[in-house]
Amino acid sequence: MTNALDDFLALSRQHPWYLSPSVYSLPCGTAAQIWDTGVLCLEPGNPAGRDLIISCGIHGNETAPIELCEALLHRLISGELTCRQRVLFIFGNPAAMNAAVRELDENLNRLFSGAHAEGNEVNQERKRAALLESYVTRFFSVREHAERLHYDLHTAIRPSQREKFAVYPYLHGAPYSRAQLALLQAAGINTVLLAHEPTTTFSYFSAHRFNAHAFTLELGKVMPFGDNDLTRLTALNQCLEALISEPGWQPPPLTPEHLDVFAVSQEIVKNTDDFALCFNNDVSNFTEFEQGVLLATDQQQQWHVQQEREAVVFPNAGVACGQRAALMVVPVSSFTLPLR
């Protein structure tokens, strides 16, 4: 096996901003194409009907998904697992991985759908977002009628009362996918948060621009490299392996009664450096607050719980001004979701 593919992640981290394109042959006629640092496309000789993007490391310190993807890629490169679908692996921010930080200059997951070109700011993460958009475009543009999938794997800054959950990008009124919700369940993800508006996240870019089934998957809490218990992601790994190696694979049918769905009730946005959250820093995702509780302040502005009970997701007072500092969510019935 070629040295370049023996440890693609290590090679990418040695060259965090650029890696020369190259092509290698894998078992069973699959071409492994290095497009750039952290970007590797697997092209079987006769691919089945799914085009699958698996991305991780958009935030450099979210290591469990990086380790999962590294192990999955190693099995494909070694021939232990046969590649039957077109697959694009993306390790998003190798430089941030090297520094063991979430971001270097700017949150990469707020720079898609053209946000990287807004304003006068220029940095490596903006350049990287533009490149990643171009690679997704290149990948999905090869086939018009393939089923397009994009799973963007993350871990959360805080612990969560629901260890694993998916963010379903805003679909502009289109129904949700019954098959994809069933796949999430098979992957051990039984909580889904429905996005309420367009965003500049990676998964929304794929969903909106290419009509892909795309999700942000939160898979536990941020841990250093080597400290993750990947057995907690066994179900997800098995689903990804089946998607890649078994052309006709389908998950078991959806069981709506076992699916917990949340909708956004309000968004808390940090507008100035005076912003503060009015609860402890160790509050976990999906912690509930009763109606009337003060959640955050920003100079003269205040946010309170508006409904009988609301739960907080993604609280982070350290975001840049103008960005979301928390979402408040409420449960909705999975039986009332418009599905296709």
Side-chain angles (χ1 to χ4, degrees):
M1 183 54 58
T2 58
N3 289 334
L5 297 182
D6 279 343
D7 196 338
F8 177 68
L9 177 59
L11 181 65
S12 295
R13 293 180 66 179
Q14 290 168 11
H15 304 274
W17 295 117
Y18 176 75
L19 192 60
S20 298
S22 53
V23 181
Y24 304 89
S25 295
L26 300 184
C28 301
T30 295
Q33 305 171 2
I34 295 177
W35 288 2
D36 198 348
T37 186
V39 183
L40 180 67
C41 180
L42 301 183
E43 291 269 7
N46 184 25
R50 289 171 170 144
D51 287 350
L52 170 62
I53 296 176
I54 306 172
S55 57
C56 64
I58 296 298
H59 298 132
N61 62 345
E62 298 179 4
T63 60
I66 298 169
E67 292 177 356
L68 182 147
C69 289
E70 182 183 24
L72 177 59
L73 180 57
H74 183 268
R75 288 194 292 277
L76 287 162
I77 290 172
S78 68
E80 180 183 343
L81 185 68
T82 301
C83 187
R84 303 294 188 192
Q85 312 279 5
R86 297 180 66 243
V87 186
L88 184 66
F89 281 90
I90 296 176
F91 297 88
N93 199 338
M97 295 178 205
N98 291 343
V101 295
R102 178 177 173 85
E103 62 207 52
L104 295 176
D105 297 306
E106 200 167 355
N107 184 350
L108 183 56
N109 208 30
R110 295 294 179 271
L111 293 176
F112 295 99
S113 296
H116 53 80
E118 296 176 357
N120 298 318
E121 181 74 18
V122 177
N123 58 51
Q124 291 287 5
E125 274 145 332
R126 288 190 170 227
K127 295 176 183 178
R128 182 67 168 170
L131 285 170
L132 294 184
E133 285 187 353
S134 73
Y135 297 139
V136 170
T137 301
R138 174 180 171 183
F139 181 74
F140 280 145
S141 296
V142 170
R143 301 197 296 179
E144 182 179 352
H145 299 295
E147 181 182 38
R148 294 169 173 171
L149 308 172
H150 181 183
Y151 303 114
D152 187 31
L153 312 185
H154 289 256
T155 52
I157 296 172
R158 295 171 182 248
S160 179
Q161 296 187 13
R162 299 168 179 272
E163 181 186 42
K164 304 178 190 71
F165 61 97
V167 180
Y168 209 133
Y170 184 64
L171 296 184
H172 297 266
Y176 302 99
S177 169
R178 181 185 300 273
Q180 288 298 301
L181 291 173
L183 186 146
L184 293 177
Q185 282 192 321
I189 301 169
N190 294 298
T191 298
V192 176
L193 172 57
L194 307 177
H196 65 301
E197 62 183 9
T199 64
T200 52
T201 63
F202 203 11
S203 61
Y204 175 78
F205 172 73
S206 291
H208 182 58
R209 176 68 177 81
F210 298 101
N211 198 30
H213 297 296
F215 299 87
T216 302
L217 302 184
E218 298 288 348
L219 304 173
K221 187 180 181 300
V222 166
M223 300 289 287
F225 280 113
D227 287 354
N228 298 292
D229 179 5
L230 294 186
T231 64
R232 305 186 73 82
L233 303 180
T234 297
L236 171 62
N237 182 70
Q238 290 173 340
C239 287
L240 294 176
E241 288 189 348
L243 280 173
I244 293 170
S245 64
E246 302 175 30
W249 181 80
Q250 295 290 338
L254 176 69
T255 55
E257 62 272 21
H258 296 146
L259 185 69
D260 294 325
V261 181
F262 289 82
V264 175
S265 55
Q266 58 176 317
E267 183 177 26
I268 299 174
V269 176
K270 176 180 178 178
N271 294 310
T272 77
D273 290 332
D274 293 328
F275 178 88
L277 292 171
C278 299
F279 46 81
N280 293 335
N281 287 331
D282 60 354
V283 164
S284 57
N285 285 317
F286 291 98
T287 295
E288 289 190 340
F289 296 89
E290 295 182 351
Q291 190 173 34
V293 168
L294 179 64
L295 298 167
T297 62
D298 196 347
Q299 296 185 351
Q300 302 306 311
Q301 187 173 7
Q302 295 184 344
W303 289 266
H304 295 82
V305 177
Q306 298 174 349
Q307 302 195 32
E308 183 177 351
R309 299 186 73 86
E310 296 178 1
V312 67
V313 181
F314 301 132
N316 181 7
V319 299
C321 292
Q323 291 191 4
R324 179 198 73 206
L327 287 175
M328 303 305 297
V329 303
V330 293
V332 296
S333 173
S334 59
F335 291 96
T336 62
L337 290 181
L339 300 177
R340 56 185 167 102

